[in-house]
């Protein structure tokens, strides 16, 4: 409000005498006068909100891995209960779980390999997952890198025969030949290029002819890495060859039947035991 307007306001609010000019107020000043005295409500001090335990409205679900592994039970996860149009199942879909292969296959020697599983479907209180990726732990990769040897890496993007586009990362190291006298075992640039090309060719060949489940089975059994190590012996001997990482870049349209089939094989694999044959009766002579 300008100085002139303030002066007019004071003149009409505090007139020396009540005149007709005070009664017939200018419309602009009338709006200012009406604004005086508003917003008198103040928040009450000390008002406390009711504390509600956030876990009281959570639901717990069991996370199941594909039947490829010995132990299909991954663990439990929670989510907010269904409220209105927000469904609990929609909040669960898309969650990614990182699980050590040592827990899935009950093999402590493979604890360096981390399997990523993504929630794709909810059946009752169970979350059915699918493969989402694979990686190595940082300490494992760092333990492989040493002096006096060449590190060779190969990267390729391929499409599996069931429609998944994956990016594979291979790593390998040179080793000394028999009767090698030098302290190092560095490969020449031309040899490194040949080994990298061989890595890419083998990874492409193995991935194109497999679906996603079989591809992860090959990662776990190290069959692709052993094949690369064998075929590269003629170029330069290799050691510690691994498929160290796999990223799922694109997925086909969701197929509930295929996912349930991947998990239903677990029931057929369950060990129900062997029927016990009765012992033959002993006859005393």
């Amino acid at each position: 409000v300008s100085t002139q307007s303030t002066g007019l306001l004071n003149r009409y609010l505090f007139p020396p005498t009540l005149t007709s000019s005070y009664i017939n107020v200018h419309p602009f000043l009338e709006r200012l006068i009406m604004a005086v005295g508003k917003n008198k409500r103040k928040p009450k001090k000390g008002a406390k909100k009711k504390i509600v335990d956030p876990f009281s409205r959570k639901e717990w679900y069991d996370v199941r891995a594909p039947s490829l592994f010995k132990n299909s039970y991954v663990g439990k996860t929670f989510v907010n209960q269904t409220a209105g149009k927000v469904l609990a199942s929609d909040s669960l879909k898309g969650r990614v779980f990182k699980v050590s292969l040592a827990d899935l296959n009950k093999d402590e020697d493979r604890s360096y390999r981390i399997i990523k599983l993504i929630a794709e479907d909810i059946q009752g209180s169970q979350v059915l997952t699918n493969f989402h990726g694979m990686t190595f732990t940082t300490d494992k990769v760092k333990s492989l890198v040493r002096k006096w040897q060449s590190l060779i890496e190969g990267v390729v993007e391929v499409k599996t025969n069931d429609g998944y586009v994956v990016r594979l990362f291979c790593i390998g190291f040179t080793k000394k030949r028999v009767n090698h006298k030098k302290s190092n075992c560095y490969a020449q640039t031309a040899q490194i290029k040949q080994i990298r090309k061989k890595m890419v060719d083998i990874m492409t060949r193995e991935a194109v002819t497999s679906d996603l489940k079989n591809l992860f089975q090959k990662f776990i059994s190290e069959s692709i890495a052993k094949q690369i190590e064998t075929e590269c012996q003629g170029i330069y001997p290799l050691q510690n060859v691994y498929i160290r990482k796999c990223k799922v870049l694109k997925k086909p349209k969701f197929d509930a039947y295929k996912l349930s089939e991947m998990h239903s094989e677990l029931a057929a694999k369950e060990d129900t035991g062997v029927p016990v044959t009765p012992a033959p009766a002993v006859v005393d002579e």
Side-chain angles (χ1 to χ4, degrees):
V1 181
S2 63
T3 307
Q4 185 180 2
S5 302
T6 308
L8 290 171
L9 179 62
N10 291 332
R11 196 180 76 189
Y12 284 107
L13 286 176
F14 309 103
T17 55
L18 190 62
T19 60
S20 59
S21 61
Y22 178 73
I23 298 170
N24 299 323
V25 181
H26 192 276
F28 169 71
L29 297 175
E30 186 180 2
R31 289 197 297 270
L32 290 175
I33 293 167
M34 290 173 65
V36 175
K38 284 192 175 181
N39 302 325
K40 288 183 178 179
R41 290 179 296 175
K42 293 181 181 179
K44 293 181 180 179
K45 290 185 179 180
K48 295 182 179 179
K49 291 184 179 179
K50 189 177 180 181
I51 299 173
V52 180
D53 184 14
F55 278 87
S56 62
R57 57 193 186 94
K58 303 288 184 183
E59 289 180 349
W60 291 86
Y61 289 82
D62 296 331
V63 182
R64 293 287 175 182
S67 57
L68 172 68
F69 306 105
K70 293 179 181 177
N71 179 26
S72 67
Y73 177 72
V74 174
K76 286 185 177 289
T77 186
F78 58 84
V79 68
N80 288 337
Q81 296 175 355
T82 301
K85 294 183 179 179
V86 182
L87 302 178
S89 59
D90 293 341
S91 302
L92 280 172
K93 289 177 183 176
R95 283 192 186 180
V96 177
F97 305 94
K98 294 181 181 180
V99 193
S100 173
L101 187 60
D103 297 330
L104 292 172
N105 270 356
K106 300 179 181 178
D107 183 7
E108 291 297 327
D109 296 334
R110 300 293 181 88
S111 60
Y112 57 84
R113 199 180 287 275
I114 306 298
I115 305 295
K116 293 181 181 179
L117 303 170
I118 185 169
E120 288 196 346
D121 195 18
I122 315 298
Q123 291 185 1
S125 63
Q126 293 191 344
V127 180
L128 303 186
T129 61
N130 197 357
F131 298 106
H132 188 63
M134 180 271 301
T135 185
F136 269 27
T137 56
T138 309
D139 62 298
K140 175 64 175 178
V141 178
K142 289 181 178 179
S143 69
L144 297 174
V145 180
R146 298 168 189 167
K147 294 192 296 183
W148 318 122
Q149 62 182 7
S150 297
L151 185 154
I152 305 167
E153 283 189 298
V155 183
V156 65
E157 286 186 18
V158 290
K159 189 173 185 179
T160 61
N161 60 10
D162 57 348
Y164 287 87
V165 178
V166 295
R167 183 180 293 151
L168 305 179
F169 299 78
C170 180
I171 191 171
F173 302 88
T174 56
K175 71 175 181 179
K176 293 181 180 180
R177 288 192 174 98
V178 182
N179 300 324
H180 192 92
K181 294 182 179 180
K182 287 186 178 180
S183 61
N184 59 59
C185 53
Y186 296 131
Q188 296 178 354
T189 306
Q191 292 173 325
I192 291 174
K193 287 182 179 179
Q194 287 179 337
I195 292 172
R196 188 177 291 116
K197 185 177 184 303
K198 185 71 72 173
M199 284 179 173
V200 170
D201 292 344
I202 293 173
M203 286 191 292
T204 305
R205 184 178 68 218
E206 293 295 323
V208 167
T209 57
S210 307
D211 58 5
L212 190 67
K213 183 180 177 181
N214 291 335
L215 188 62
F216 270 77
Q217 178 66 58
K218 292 177 181 179
F219 296 155
I220 296 168
S221 63
E222 307 283 1
S223 62
I224 300 177
K226 291 174 184 175
Q227 197 171 347
I228 292 172
E229 190 173 333
T230 304
E231 294 192 18
C232 290
Q233 289 294 324
I235 304 170
Y236 205 101
L238 295 180
Q239 63 180 348
N240 296 330
V241 181
Y242 296 100
I243 305 296
R244 68 171 185 88
K245 193 174 185 180
C246 172
K247 280 185 178 180
V248 178
L249 303 178
K250 291 182 182 178
K251 298 180 180 180
K253 191 176 180 181
F254 174 68
D255 190 348
Y257 175 74
K258 279 188 178 180
L259 184 67
S260 60
E261 190 179 36
M262 190 182 293
H263 286 264
S264 64
E265 293 176 9
L266 183 67
K269 283 187 177 181
E270 284 185 1
D271 186 10
T272 55
V274 180
V276 180
T277 55
V282 179
V283 180
D284 295 333
E285 294 181 357

